[in-house]
Amino acid sequence: MIIDFIEENIDEVFEYIGEDYGKCLYIYIDLKKYGLEDENFNVWIQYNELNKICAIISEYYGGIQIYSKQLDLNAEEVADFIKEKDSNVLFAVKEVIDNVEQFLPEYKRDVGIIGELTELKYPINPDAYSAPLDEIEEIVKIVAEDENIGKPYGFESLYEQFTERKKDNFGRNFVLRDDNHEIICHAGTYAELPELAVVGGVITSIPYRGKGFSKQILSSLCSELLSENKRIFSVYYSPAAKKMHSGVGFKEIAVWSKLFKG
């Protein structure tokens, strides 16, 4: 049985998640940050026959995320729910997607990794810094040009997101500049709470690649977050990103999958 989440469910849901939020980062973060105040964020709870939670489902701007702590969700019911919502993309750990995918044959799968920083292993770059609000436009221009990270969103959408995160202390952007004061590398946080942060958006200009700058900027960002006693997570897909994160000190905590309509 899948029911609408209401404010009275919040303690029950957080108790269900516990400290396992690495496997449902955005459900946890958005509930903590917004609750039900954001009209673009919706949550549902699936209960089993014993009236115990077996899955949490969230929707944000049309994207669905599913979390099942014991992997005991009713996958067919969830798939029917996805079809009813006509969702184009859904995310969950691999084991959840394995269960749901059989009922959604029209979807394709992409597989990545959820990593958590366990030990900072790569030196920071002392010239890396957290950019102020008036540098966001310059940063977004670079991010929006990247085929994999920014281009699908477009400049306007990214600028709005980055600016709102900065103003709300929900995100920050670290950069490195060359001798001409041009940005050569960027890494940021996609979401932050007092207890955790999700990092991403690591981009290095083509002429500077292969020189360790990506690891330096990511390490510099993570060093500041560690000084604030935050747990640090990242979601990444490519072999190059896996190698970079491993070099900085991230360890795999789960295989992450997304299903999307091809």
Side-chain angles (χ1 to χ4, degrees), residues 167-208:
K167 289 179 177 178
D168 292 344
N169 293 316
F170 198 44
R172 69 189 82 183
N173 303 86
F174 261 59
V175 295
L176 271 172
R177 295 180 180 271
D178 62 15
D179 293 339
N180 296 317
H181 206 60
E182 298 292 330
I183 294 175
I184 63 169
C185 199
H186 167 270
T189 54
Y190 287 156
E192 293 187 32
L193 293 174
E195 66 269 32
L196 67 88
V198 183
V199 300
V202 182
I203 299 173
T204 299
S205 298
I206 293 175
Y208 293 90

Side-chain angles (χ1 to χ4, degrees), residues 120-137:
L120 195 60
K121 299 194 299 187
Y122 203 83
I124 69 169
N125 187 317
D127 293 325
Y129 68 95
S130 183
L133 186 61
D134 61 7
E135 294 182 16
I136 294 298
E137 182 176 357

Side-chain angles (χ1 to χ4, degrees), residues 55-244:
I56 308 293
I57 305 167
S58 74
E59 180 185 39
Y60 188 65
Y61 282 100
I64 295 282
Q65 186 174 153
I66 310 163
Y67 172 68
S68 178
K69 190 169 189 175
Q70 305 299 331
L71 305 176
D72 57 346
L73 76 165
N74 183 328
E76 187 171 7
E77 184 181 46
V78 169
D80 288 341
F81 180 83
I82 300 294
K83 293 174 185 176
E84 183 181 330
K85 289 289 178 185
D86 194 27
S87 301
N88 290 318
V89 61
L90 56 143
F91 305 88
V93 296
K94 177 182 180 295
E95 294 84 354
V96 169
I97 294 297
D98 286 344
N99 289 327
V100 175
E101 184 179 28
Q102 61 184 310
F103 303 108
L104 297 169
E106 68 273 29
Y107 286 75
K108 298 179 181 179
R109 183 196 284 228
D110 197 3
V111 178
I113 291 170
I114 303 173
E116 180 174 5
L117 185 71
T118 57
E119 175 190 6
L120 195 60
K121 299 194 299 187
Y122 203 83
I124 69 169
N125 187 317
D127 293 325
Y129 68 95
S130 183
L133 186 61
D134 61 7
E135 294 182 16
I136 294 298
E137 182 176 357
E138 183 182 5
I139 292 167
V140 172
K141 286 178 181 177
I142 295 167
V143 175
E145 292 175 357
D146 185 272
E147 292 285 344
N148 297 315
I149 296 176
K151 199 164 188 177
Y153 295 96
F155 175 86
E156 295 297 333
S157 176
L158 283 173
Y159 182 74
E160 181 179 356
Q161 291 179 48
F162 279 35
T163 301
E164 286 183 1
R165 287 179 196 151
K166 184 71 175 175
K167 289 179 177 178
D168 292 344
N169 293 316
F170 198 44
R172 69 189 82 183
N173 303 86
F174 261 59
V175 295
L176 271 172
R177 295 180 180 271
D178 62 15
D179 293 339
N180 296 317
H181 206 60
E182 298 292 330
I183 294 175
I184 63 169
C185 199
H186 167 270
T189 54
Y190 287 156
E192 293 187 32
L193 293 174
E195 66 269 32
L196 67 88
V198 183
V199 300
V202 182
I203 299 173
T204 299
S205 298
I206 293 175
Y208 293 90
R209 291 178 183 173
K211 304 177 187 296
F213 286 115
S214 291
K215 285 189 275 194
Q216 289 175 26
I217 193 78
L218 182 57
S219 186
S220 300
L221 169 61
C222 289
S223 178
E224 182 169 281
L225 295 169
L226 286 173
S227 73
E228 299 169 9
N229 298 312
K230 296 182 190 290
R231 291 176 67 182
I232 304 169
F233 298 90
S234 185
V235 180
Y236 39 96
Y237 290 88
S238 71
K242 180 178 179 179
K243 182 178 180 181
M244 178 190 66

Side-chain angles (χ1 to χ4, degrees), residues 3-72:
I3 67 167
D4 290 334
F5 174 93
I6 58 175
E7 202 65 45
E8 286 77 4
N9 299 130
I10 192 117
D11 290 338
E12 181 186 18
V13 166
F14 283 135
E15 182 179 352
Y16 176 74
I17 294 172
E19 294 191 359
D20 197 36
Y21 40 68
K23 297 178 182 178
C24 60
L25 284 167
Y26 289 103
I27 294 177
Y28 179 84
I29 288 168
D30 288 334
L31 273 175
K32 278 277 190 177
K33 181 74 173 178
Y34 302 114
L36 297 177
E37 294 179 5
D38 190 330
E39 62 182 13
N40 297 302
F41 179 62
N42 300 292
V43 183
W44 298 267
I45 303 172
Q46 185 183 56
Y47 289 95
N48 61 22
E49 63 276 5
L50 299 176
N51 203 33
K52 300 290 186 181
I53 296 178
C54 57
I56 308 293
I57 305 167
S58 74
E59 180 185 39
Y60 188 65
Y61 282 100
I64 295 282
Q65 186 174 153
I66 310 163
Y67 172 68
S68 178
K69 190 169 189 175
Q70 305 299 331
L71 305 176
D72 57 346

